[in-house]
Amino acid sequence: MMKRLPCLFLIILSNTFLSFASHKNDGLKFFKADDRKIRYVGRVDFSDRLKPRIWAPGVYIKAKFKGPYCEIILNDENAGGHNLNYLEIVIDGDKPYRVQTTGKENVIKVPGGLSDTEHTILICKDTESNIGYIDFIGLRCEQLLPLPTPPKRKIEYFGDSITSGTGMDQSVIACDKGQWYDQHNAYMSYGARTSRNLNADWQLSALAGVGLLHSCCNMKVVLPQIYDKVFLAADSVSWGFKNYQPDVVTICIGQNDGPQDSTLFCSTYVKLITSMRQHYPKADIICLTSPMADNTLLPVLKRYLIGITAYMNANGDKKIHKYFFSKQYHNGCGGHPDLDEHKLIADELTAYIKEVKGW
């Protein structure tokens, strides 16, 4: 056995060298995360520009590359040794495909068969901030090219699990199977869909379980406390609002609160809007009912929002609006809207934003 060790070592070394040489000679170049041709949209922590850290669902990265092949390199927090994030990958605006990280270090290969021309790639984090972060390391491709001019329109969506896309995607794993986050799909959520309908950038500032006064599931944070953070679940890393100035802000909150003392709920909501207005002086702010609300909660939320918007309008802010969804959407996991229902919610909201903005 001892005599075989040098030969075995040489075989391993030779295979490692061949693999490395093949990797280095495949015609692909490594482009680091801080390359100016890579665009980030959403709340990202750039403390380390070579490893931008992403917690929030719906944050996306865009790039344009030349050639038939590309690799995405990123790290996953892998919190607890089992929580692994899902991503949505979109090439040239076509149908997205869904991947899950496999561990702390990941090389995700874009499927073959692409033409040897120019392509755009979008990488969207599908899963919640409390599943863990991803650190984007960079791309390997033949050449990185400048992106087209980004959309002029921007929308931000504040909310809870509905807004973040929880429990909606049963295309691979059914409800009550696998892990609780296996059905998350921020890219196909109503906010992202609404923005694509309107040719706008999106930002989902949402956290499953959060409420205005009362959050569920033993959470210790509420929306007014965390709306100005990057890592919402931990109420940490301050967000620079100047980085993203939306034309429209929507607030979808109250599902986790349930019926509350009306004076306390409305006064807290008004304080939240007033605080947001300091950061977003020109945005139209739309207060939404919960798409999940049942026959008990819905009339309560309507009453709250009628009073809140009337108060704000009467006090000089005419750019505060309300929208009531036409019905309850609850065919996904845990009573959340499913994939098809998120499309319907987006269609409703798209039409209303067009009416408000004249888009």
Side-chain angles (χ1 to χ4, degrees):
M1 180 67 183
M2 291 298 293
K3 292 181 179 179
R4 295 178 61 189
L5 281 176
C7 293
L8 180 61
F9 176 75
L10 287 174
I11 291 171
I12 293 172
L13 182 63
S14 175
N15 287 340
T16 302
F17 175 78
L18 288 173
S19 175
F20 178 78
S22 173
H23 183 74
K24 297 298 285 185
N25 295 325
D26 59 7
L28 303 184
K29 300 176 183 178
F30 174 60
F31 296 90
K32 295 184 289 186
D34 66 344
D35 194 292
R36 294 189 177 187
K37 295 185 180 71
I38 299 174
R39 181 170 182 253
Y40 299 85
V41 183
R43 297 192 178 192
V44 181
D45 179 6
F46 287 104
S47 298
D48 184 346
R49 299 200 70 85
L50 294 179
K51 292 192 296 185
R53 182 158 292 180
I54 300 167
W55 282 282
V59 173
Y60 58 101
I61 303 163
K62 295 191 75 173
K64 184 177 182 180
F65 66 93
K66 184 180 184 299
Y69 190 73
C70 180
E71 291 179 349
I72 304 160
I73 302 169
L74 56 84
N75 296 337
D76 191 300
E77 181 181 3
N78 196 198
H82 63 276
N83 289 343
L84 292 165
N85 283 284
Y86 283 91
L87 307 168
E88 213 77 10
I89 313 296
V90 185
I91 304 295
D92 297 331
D94 291 338
K95 184 178 179 180
Y97 67 93
R98 183 170 168 83
V99 299
Q100 188 177 23
T101 57
T102 57
K104 287 186 176 296
E105 297 180 354
N106 301 267
V107 176
I108 299 169
K109 299 179 179 181
V110 171
L114 295 177
S115 59
D116 191 7
T117 55
E118 298 176 358
H119 302 281
T120 58
I121 183 170
L122 183 150
I123 306 153
C124 180
K125 185 175 187 286
D126 271 340
T127 30
E128 288 279 351
S129 61
N130 47 14
I131 301 305
Y133 61 74
I134 59 170
D135 287 337
F136 183 71
I137 307 302
L139 297 169
R140 292 188 71 247
C141 56
E142 180 182 324
Q143 185 180 357
L144 210 57
L145 304 170
L147 281 162
T149 303
K152 292 183 179 180
R153 300 168 179 172
K154 295 179 175 67
I155 307 176
E156 184 167 11
Y157 306 85
F158 288 95
D160 51 30
S161 58
I162 307 166
T163 303
S164 64
T166 302
M168 62 181 289
D169 189 345
Q170 304 165 60
S171 60
V172 177
I173 300 176
C175 298
D176 300 321
K177 303 293 183 181
Q179 301 292 333
W180 74 278
Y181 54 85
D182 284 327
Q183 295 83 23
H184 290 195
N185 192 331
Y187 181 79
M188 299 302 287
S189 66
Y190 77 85
R193 284 177 179 265
T194 298
S195 287
R196 292 196 292 275
N197 288 346
L198 295 167
N199 189 30
D201 280 332
W202 68 84
Q203 184 165 292
L204 308 184
S205 300
L207 177 65
V210 79
L212 184 76
L213 300 173
H214 168 76
S215 299
C216 81
C217 317
N218 298 315
M219 289 179 60
K220 297 180 180 179
V221 296
V222 288
L223 185 60
Q225 175 186 351
I226 63 170
Y227 88 96
D228 58 351
K229 301 301 192 301
V230 174
F231 185 10
L232 300 183
D235 187 23
S236 67
V237 186
S238 295
W239 169 242
F241 287 95
K242 292 182 179 179
N243 295 329
Y244 189 88
Q245 282 291 305
D247 303 285
V248 176
V249 170
T250 70
I251 305 171
C252 184
I253 200 71
Q255 181 67 40
N256 294 302
D257 293 275
Q260 295 283 335
D261 176 84
S262 60
T263 300
L264 181 58
F265 188 93
C266 293
S267 63
T268 303
Y269 205 126
V270 166
K271 288 178 183 177
L272 176 62
I273 295 174
T274 303
S275 181
M276 286 183 176
R277 177 58 77 209
Q278 295 175 4
H279 299 294
Y280 300 142
K282 297 180 180 179
D284 284 281
I285 299 177
I286 304 173
C287 307
L288 306 172
T289 54
S290 167
M292 283 177 63
D294 59 19
N295 292 333
T296 299
L297 180 59
L298 182 59
V300 174
L301 290 179
K302 285 183 176 180
R303 190 166 65 249
Y304 292 163
L305 297 187
I306 289 170
I308 290 164
T309 53
Y311 175 85
M312 295 299 296
N313 294 163
N315 281 271
D317 196 335
K318 304 296 185 183
K319 301 189 79 173
I320 307 297
H321 315 271
K322 61 183 181 298
Y323 181 75
F324 304 154
F325 289 107
S326 64
K327 64 176 184 177
Q328 184 184 19
Y329 297 97
H330 58 107
N331 288 322
C333 305
H336 292 86
D338 64 15
L339 271 168
D340 292 336
E341 289 176 321
H342 270 270
K343 180 183 182 304
L344 297 176
I345 295 167
D347 290 344
E348 283 197 45
L349 188 54
T350 298
Y352 184 68
I353 290 176
K354 283 183 177 180
E355 179 184 327
V356 169
K357 299 296 293 183
W359 288 349

